[in-house]
Amino acid sequence: MDLQRHPNRRPTRRRFTLTALAALGSAALPAGAATPAAAACAPLLRHRFPRLQDEAPQDLCQFAGKVLLVVNTASYCGFTRQYEGLEALFAKYSARGLVILGFPSNDFGQQEPGSAKQIADLCFNTYGVKFPMFAKTVVKGAGRNAFYAQLAAATKDVPQWNFHKYLIARDGQTVRSFASAVE
């Protein structure tokens, strides 16, 4: 992955770039590319989760053919400020097929103790998050949700903390994993 260092940040922090996203496939985010009409839902995306703000069930197959950045989030974490960068990335590349999927989790340091309303208030009102956010879930251990189990199996990497990221290519099969410090 070609990750670029930001000049105003400590050198240990890395940021996603268009090049990093494009490295997932020959057409990860080409300008003007349309989502393939015949894009079948990959097995990895065959899951339903309640939406954060109203618990309406959301089928992940609606994102088939898009580049997905899946992030386990927490409201009271040193990485919570990453919401700003994630929203900026979503705003910049959503028209080209990037979708960020946020999964709040209380698995690490009990840093997401709040209710759905409290989490939604922080995401939408404090950070202006517009990308899809789902209800609080488990992302590690034996009780983790099936989607995260598949992501871990595909990458041989499990979240070690909040704001761990999985990047899924348009094919719904190619998956890369990024540690929490990667912005």
Side-chain angles (χ1 to χ4, degrees):
M1 288 282 145
D2 177 32
L3 294 172
Q4 173 182 330
R5 294 188 192 279
H6 191 277
N8 297 328
R9 306 224 179 184
R10 289 181 287 183
T12 57
R13 298 217 175 121
R14 296 179 292 169
R15 296 175 48 130
F16 285 99
T17 64
L18 181 57
T19 306
L21 296 170
L24 282 180
S26 59
L29 285 174
T35 301
C41 185
L44 181 61
L45 299 180
R46 293 182 188 152
H47 299 282
R48 291 173 65 94
F49 293 98
R51 191 167 45 197
L52 177 62
Q53 61 269 38
D54 59 9
E55 296 190 9
Q58 298 295 299
D59 191 335
L60 295 187
C61 285
Q62 70 181 303
F63 305 114
K66 303 214 180 247
V67 175
L68 305 177
L69 183 60
V70 179
V71 185
N72 63 293
T73 64
S75 297
Y76 300 102
C77 176
F79 294 117
T80 302
R81 62 179 171 64
Q82 286 187 18
Y83 273 127
E84 293 170 346
L86 291 168
E87 181 55 37
L89 191 68
F90 178 66
K92 185 172 184 176
Y93 295 114
S94 63
R96 296 171 88 182
L98 174 68
V99 179
I100 297 173
L101 305 176
F103 287 86
S105 175
N106 199 36
D107 293 350
F108 302 101
Q110 305 297 302
Q111 294 180 343
E112 190 61 277
S115 67
K117 182 185 180 330
Q118 291 169 321
I119 297 167
D121 282 346
L122 178 97
C123 292
F124 305 126
N125 296 330
T126 303
Y127 290 101
V129 169
K130 293 180 182 66
F131 56 82
M133 291 290 299
F134 297 91
K136 190 164 31 173
T137 190
V138 176
V139 301
K140 74 169 191 169
R144 69 183 162 207
N145 73 53
F147 182 46
Y148 265 81
Q150 284 181 283
L151 290 168
T155 62
K156 310 291 187 252
D157 195 10
V158 296
Q160 299 299 310
W161 200 252
N162 303 308
F163 287 86
H164 184 95
K165 296 149 195 87
Y166 291 104
L167 190 59
I168 306 170
R170 288 186 192 276
D171 65 10
Q173 297 175 21
T174 307
V175 184
R176 296 285 175 3
S177 180
F178 296 89
S180 301
V182 176
E183 296 181 342

